[in-house]
Amino acid sequence: MFETEKVHSPLIQTILVLGRCGVGKSRFIHHMATQLAQDALWTVVVGVNSPFSSSPVPGCHVLQLAPGCVCCSSKLILNTHLSRTLRLRRPHALWIEVDPQSHPQQVLSMLQDVQWKNWLLPPKVIGLLNVQDIDYFYKSQTDEDCQSMATMVGLSDVLILDGLTEQNPQPVSRFLLNLRRLGGTNQVRIHAQVNNLSLGAVLSALVLGQRPL
């Protein structure tokens, strides 16, 4: 499913990366891209201030979108650029940083529209969180914050908990308890420092699919 060689599936795997503003979604995608095999080809869709601007990655074609909702204000631009890119470049994978202003469920539906059926596999979703999210979401207790977290948890095939280590077991336990309260009991989870996380570990987790925490 996640091919890295020149010979690959006729359909392209799409990976969406969700997370609040400032959590490091484009940094995470850039770190994954730096581990690409020599013959791998990716297209990544990120914001204008991503690490790709200052540090390009060989084999990685970058589409930059202005801040805003991917499925509303940026939909026409994204569709136009994607159509051209997929026809001309035929990447092995498509990674999309989903702006926090977007509606993730609508983005998923948009990428499964009939116009993409001969191009894209059903998207996989990575939810990116960090230790600061624990207090941010659960001390504020606002409906909007909790709903945003609940939506991400519910849609994610993999939750990557950046910065949660064995050295801080209390935040980990509290965070996982809160995830269970939101219904997040069926995702593969990876506790890691994102900067040390391997592409292989992430792709393996996506291939494994969902399993109990």
Side-chain angles (χ1 to χ4, degrees):
M1 179 171 58
F2 299 99
E3 303 288 347
T4 57
E5 304 300 328
K6 287 184 177 179
V7 178
H8 55 88
S9 167
L11 296 181
I12 299 163
Q13 182 62 64
T14 304
I15 302 171
L16 305 182
V17 180
L18 309 182
R20 66 177 178 83
C21 183
V23 77
K25 296 182 293 297
S26 59
R27 175 175 59 88
F28 165 71
I29 296 173
H30 184 270
H31 178 62
M32 294 293 101
T34 60
Q35 302 175 55
L36 278 173
Q38 185 174 0
D39 294 335
L41 299 172
W42 280 9
T43 289
V44 301
V45 180
V46 291
V48 292
N49 295 319
S50 77
F52 289 95
S53 299
S54 57
S55 182
V57 177
C60 208
H61 176 241
V62 180
L63 299 175
Q64 293 184 317
L65 293 181
C69 179
V70 174
C71 51
C72 297
S73 59
S74 299
K75 181 178 180 180
L76 179 59
I77 296 174
L78 177 62
N79 281 343
T80 300
H81 285 298
L82 269 189
S83 179
R84 177 178 175 82
T85 296
L86 296 180
R87 285 199 317 271
L88 296 180
R89 296 181 179 272
R90 296 294 303 183
H92 302 116
L94 169 66
W95 289 67
I96 300 178
E97 174 191 359
V98 179
D99 189 280
Q101 297 180 52
S102 300
H103 308 92
Q105 291 162 313
Q106 293 183 32
V107 177
L108 281 168
S109 296
M110 181 182 76
L111 292 170
Q112 296 179 78
D113 191 77
V114 65
Q115 68 173 314
W116 305 118
K117 71 175 184 178
N118 294 323
W119 294 96
L120 303 177
L121 289 168
K124 293 287 188 177
V125 179
I126 294 174
L128 186 60
L129 310 165
N130 63 28
V131 69
Q132 285 76 31
D133 288 326
I134 299 169
D135 293 333
Y136 178 80
F137 282 99
Y138 296 104
K139 283 185 177 178
S140 63
Q141 291 295 311
T142 65
D143 291 340
E144 183 179 355
D145 288 340
C146 288
Q147 184 57 48
S148 174
M149 175 67 82
T151 297
M152 181 174 68
V153 167
L155 292 177
S156 294
D157 297 295
V158 171
L159 291 172
I160 297 178
L161 312 183
D162 184 26
L164 301 188
T165 68
E166 295 178 359
Q167 282 67 49
N168 50 4
Q170 262 191 331
V172 173
S173 299
R174 184 168 70 249
F175 190 76
L176 294 179
L177 176 62
N178 285 326
L179 286 183
R180 290 187 176 93
R181 288 170 52 196
L182 290 173
T185 59
N186 62 343
Q187 283 79 23
V188 176
R189 56 187 170 91
I190 302 173
H191 289 183
Q193 299 292 333
V194 163
N195 287 337
N196 297 325
L197 191 59
S198 75
L199 174 61
V202 173
L203 298 187
S204 294
L206 287 173
V207 170
L208 285 173
Q210 297 181 334
R211 67 183 184 190
L213 284 174

